[in-house]
Amino acid sequence: MVARTKLHDEPGARSIGPGAKRIAHRVLGSLLWALCPWLFALCASPGEAAEKAAFARQGVVVCEHPQAAIIGADILRQGGNAVDAAVAVGFALAVLFPQAGNVGGGGFMIIYKPDSGTYALDFREQAPAQATPGMYLDPAGNVIPGLSTHGYLAVAVPGTPAGLFEAHRRFGRLPWPRLLRPAIELAARGFETDTSLYLALRRDRDRLLKDPEFARIFFDGTEPKGRIVQPELARTLRTLAAQGAQGFYTGWVAEAIEEAMRRHGGRVTRQDLAEYRPVWREPVQFSVGDATVFSMPLPSAGGWMLKFMFTVLENLRTPDVGWHSALHVNLVVEAAKQAYAERAHHMGDPDKTPFPPFLDTPAYFQAMAQKIRPYQVRPAETVRPTLRPLHEESPETTHYSVLDAQGMAVAVTYTLNDLFGAGVIVPGTGILLNNEMDDFSLKPGVPNLYGLTGGDANAVGPRKRMLSSMTPTVVVRDGQVLGLLGSPGGATIVTTVYQVLENVLVFQMEPFLAVTAPRFHHQWTPDEIRYEPTAFSGDTLRVLQGMGYRLQPVPTLGRVQMIWRWQDGYLGLSDPRSPGGAAGWR
Ligand code: DON
């Protein structure tokens, strides 16, 4: 059984209205929430079919498409390790889940290998060499709406093929071509359009129908096709299977990309493609109790922001702070405001704007903790980024998760940015391209798709990697994986991952409940708390309003795909907010 739930961005998924409807909604929501662990438990069985939850001892895969999860679990059964399965799932999602799965996007991967350590792979897209700070501005210096989000000018050099290839080169066990086979077959034979894809295509059709290639592959007239067949994508994937990453970054695929760019005003050239390299980076590491958390460093701000929030709140979140009490919400929100302020001011591509070392010192975390008063609300405009070291002399970002029988864990968050990226498919290749350029700060203070602002550190520049919030994360205890997780959601990724981790590690929730529990979010600007309709009791809402908070209900926040240790095995848990599934090997 694969349950399907409405995505936050699907039509009809509206925020709740006032009065009786609102109360009924909350009661229903609470009831569903209370039942969810049991529904999860009922669904949780090992086997061939993907479930919302899968219990397994020999390895488990959880992602946003049930069929891709089965493909990953099958690779594990064939003797592949977690990296092999992650590669196969990545390519399968590019076919089955074009909303976010991709070969034309980029992402981040955290790998934990029990006998050798933890590794962070940056395969983030990169601005083309011809990118300039003013490329999305009109002569008066204003941002031209849509230029960084739709069409070829929004596209950055893709990193996914190089990233998956590099991870396999270093850690893979099964032959590379075998990992692409399921994706190639699905692209060539086609698959039935599921509800999630159908609704997403309908929602975005006005912009997607503008690209003739997209329209031809995914639509019959103005209606999404009932069956999606992608022979051109199958050909691209076959080339990748035969030639490795080279098959994408050089040769006929690169030529086709350059040709489409030239025709439609894009800036990515064959040289940009040929020179793209993924980068191994040092993971962000911190402790929560006796667990060690590993997450993504810059160019994702996610890892540092997680570390900031856990570290600063460590002593403030005393045992009497009840889950989702006004006090708990205020503490988390105050920490999040500061974290997002630092992100906006200081962070960007670490190879162009180095990360200020003082932001990772005990003195800094201590000073930030001292600024937080449990019952005091700092209006966002009074929360400023920290501009200089506090004590001169002190030392010192669609997600899927895979775990194999040897305890090797792979957490991958990769993206096209917006659903369906830039909404353009390179003719003849089937490659749907990203609109990741919008993650740059196009102009200081002007919010991007996710309402995030930034400054010089994340300004558009040649060959720069744009700042991300993607937060693939692995948690280890006593040398053994305790769990791994991540989420999509733009700016809301960090607070989503933070809250699920806080639920299990601090509030000791069952993993089912930790993923299902309602969430809230604050990102410094705008100065408001967004919350899922069942997140707060009426009392808590009133207290928070009394504290001066602006409160904005939203349908959902994030879609977590988590694996967590459970009895003598592991549970793969696909967020009920997501169309995904988990599959395991008993
Ligand atoms: O890298 C980032 O932070 C964004 N491009 C992530 C986009 C995202 O999560 C879209 N999902 N809803």
Side-chain angles (χ1 to χ4, degrees), residues 8-9 108 124 343 397 415 417-418 436 439 450 467-470 487-491 493 559:
H8 70 289
D9 37 27
F108 301 111
R124 182 69 162 164
R343 176 198 198 275
T397 209
T415 188
N417 194 23
D418 204 0
E436 219 70 60
D439 272 356
Y450 305 102
L467 184 59
S468 174
S469 303
M470 296 190 287
S487 174
I493 294 173
R559 305 193 301 270

Side-chain angles (χ1 to χ4, degrees), residues 28-335:
L28 239 173
S30 304
L31 200 71
L32 267 176
W33 176 47
L35 286 174
C36 249
W38 308 109
L39 290 176
F40 258 143
L42 281 174
C43 295
S45 68
E48 302 303 317
E51 317 275 1
K52 288 309 285 182
F55 173 74
R57 295 189 190 85
Q58 306 282 344
V60 57
V61 181
V62 57
C63 69
E64 291 229 69
H65 197 290
Q67 209 172 335
I70 294 170
I71 287 169
D74 201 47
I75 292 288
L76 294 176
R77 228 176 263 121
Q78 290 173 37
N81 64 18
V83 166
D84 293 321
V87 169
V89 171
F91 285 116
L93 286 172
V95 179
L96 292 164
F97 194 71
Q99 298 96 307
N102 65 83
V103 289
F108 301 111
M109 183 183 288
I110 298 282
I111 302 172
Y112 174 75
K113 203 163 180 279
D115 51 356
S116 69
T118 313
Y119 307 83
L121 182 59
D122 160 8
F123 56 101
R124 182 69 162 164
E125 300 93 323
Q126 187 169 302
Q130 291 166 26
T132 60
M135 67 188 278
Y136 300 110
L137 305 181
D138 66 16
N142 298 319
V143 172
I144 305 171
L147 225 51
S148 66
T149 51
H150 306 307
Y152 282 85
L153 198 61
V155 180
V157 183
T160 297
L164 298 182
F165 189 72
E166 172 62 17
H168 178 264
R169 183 198 64 76
R170 189 161 175 188
F171 293 110
R173 198 190 279 159
L174 294 184
W176 168 257
R178 202 194 297 179
L179 307 177
L180 281 98
R181 203 182 291 154
I184 294 169
E185 280 171 19
L186 279 164
R189 277 208 325 265
F191 63 94
E192 299 298 317
T193 308
D194 57 77
T195 310
S196 153
L197 177 55
Y198 177 80
L199 291 173
L201 287 167
R202 286 248 311 231
R203 192 203 76 156
D204 276 18
R205 75 175 141 201
D206 288 349
R207 95 179 165 100
L208 299 174
L209 285 170
K210 284 186 190 144
D211 182 58
E213 197 70 359
F214 202 108
R216 184 179 65 76
I217 295 170
F218 287 98
F219 288 89
D220 264 334
T222 58
E223 266 301 295
K225 284 184 178 166
R227 187 175 179 82
I228 309 289
V229 190
Q230 304 171 80
E232 296 85 0
L233 182 58
R235 182 168 167 237
T236 298
L237 291 170
R238 276 191 206 102
T239 306
L240 261 164
Q243 298 173 19
Q246 285 296 310
F248 182 93
Y249 293 92
T250 59
W252 73 271
V253 175
E255 278 165 29
I257 294 174
E258 188 179 64
E259 172 64 12
M261 288 282 160
R262 219 173 32 75
R263 280 172 182 256
H264 301 285
R267 296 198 181 172
V268 175
T269 61
R270 265 193 293 175
Q271 196 179 343
D272 289 325
L273 290 160
E275 290 177 12
Y276 180 85
R277 299 282 178 276
V279 182
W280 292 101
R281 302 199 184 267
E282 197 58 42
V284 170
Q285 180 179 340
F286 60 96
S287 300
V288 183
D290 57 0
T292 307
V293 180
F294 296 97
S295 195
M296 198 63 212
L298 290 173
S300 173
W304 178 86
M305 292 170 78
L306 268 191
K307 178 173 180 170
F308 178 94
M309 293 174 69
F310 273 105
T311 308
V312 159
L313 294 182
E314 190 179 359
N315 296 318
L316 289 164
R317 205 197 308 91
T318 48
D320 59 323
V321 176
W323 186 81
H324 281 206
S325 60
L327 175 54
H328 174 225
V329 177
N330 189 52
L331 288 172
V332 173
V333 164
E334 285 292 310

Side-chain angles (χ1 to χ4, degrees), residues 1 85 105 140 146 171 205 292 303 314 365 374 379 412 456 463 472 497 585:
M1 178 190 115
F171 293 110
R205 75 175 141 201
T292 307
E314 190 179 359
F365 289 125
V412 183
D456 286 346
R463 298 273 157 91
V497 172
W585 178 26

